């Protein structure tokens, strides 16, 4: 029971941290810069979010846990992008960010469909 709660808390905590990181003012000066690093971050962050949502939904015994995880992650990303357009900070809503989010989610969906049995077995071992 504790381990299930831990995964649910991790999912919620990660989503909250992602929302805060996406909505607060950030320092745009970086020690080093990688081309398209913002898009790479969006891709990876939403792939992880989709994975964590999948784990939570799977533990809740939802039949279509992967579909629900992908839809929730996409909806979450869309809402964050819309909120960025109304924040008083220098954050900008960007369709390319939403595209990177979606690619990260779809990539995780493909990986999980391919390796779902392995992930589920490891999750059951963890539980």
């Amino acid at each position: 029971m504790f381990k299930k709660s831990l995964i649910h808390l991790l999912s919620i905590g990660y989503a909250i941290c992602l929302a805060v990181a996406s909505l607060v003012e950030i320092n745009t000066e970086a020690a080093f810069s990688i081309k398209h690093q913002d898009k790479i971050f969006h891709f990876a962050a939403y792939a992880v979010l989709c994975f964590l949502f999948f784990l939570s939904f799977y533990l809740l015994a939802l039949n279509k846990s992967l579909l629900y995880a992908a839809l929730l992650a996409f909806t979450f990303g869309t809402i964050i992008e819309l909120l960025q357009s109304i924040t008083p900070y220098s954050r900008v809503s960007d369709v390319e960010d939403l595209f990177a989010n979606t690619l990260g989610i779809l990539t995780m969906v493909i990986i999980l469909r391919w390796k779902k049995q392995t992930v589920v077995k490891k999750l059951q071992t963890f539980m």
Side-chain angles (χ1 to χ4, degrees):
M1 184 68 169
F2 171 74
K3 291 180 181 179
K4 285 184 180 183
S5 297
L6 183 65
I7 289 176
H8 296 311
L9 284 173
L10 182 62
S11 299
I12 293 167
Y14 182 82
I16 291 169
C17 288
L18 188 57
V20 169
S22 297
L23 295 173
V24 298
E25 186 175 12
I26 58 170
N27 182 3
T28 56
E29 289 183 34
F32 64 93
S33 181
I34 300 171
K35 188 174 183 179
H36 306 296
Q37 75 183 31
D38 177 52
K39 304 309 176 244
I40 294 168
F41 171 78
H42 278 269
F43 177 92
Y46 281 86
V48 171
L49 183 67
C50 182
F51 179 73
L52 291 173
F53 283 165
F54 166 74
L55 292 179
S56 286
F57 289 149
Y58 183 83
L59 291 174
L60 292 173
L62 294 176
N63 286 339
K64 298 182 180 184
S65 54
L66 185 54
L67 174 65
Y68 295 142
L71 289 174
L72 182 59
F74 176 78
T75 302
F76 181 84
T78 302
I79 290 169
I80 293 297
E81 288 302 318
L82 291 173
L83 288 174
Q84 282 182 343
S85 68
I86 61 172
T87 57
Y89 305 113
S90 60
R91 303 307 297 253
V92 177
S93 181
D94 186 2
V95 175
E96 291 176 1
D97 287 348
L98 189 57
F99 183 70
N101 298 350
T102 305
L103 279 178
I105 293 165
L106 290 176
T107 300
M108 185 53 66
V109 166
I110 291 167
I111 291 169
L112 286 172
R113 286 194 50 106
W114 179 44
K115 292 291 190 179
K116 185 176 182 180
Q117 295 301 339
T118 305
V119 171
V120 168
K121 283 180 184 178
K122 290 196 184 285
L123 182 61
Q124 289 169 345
T125 302
F126 176 71
M127 293 300 160

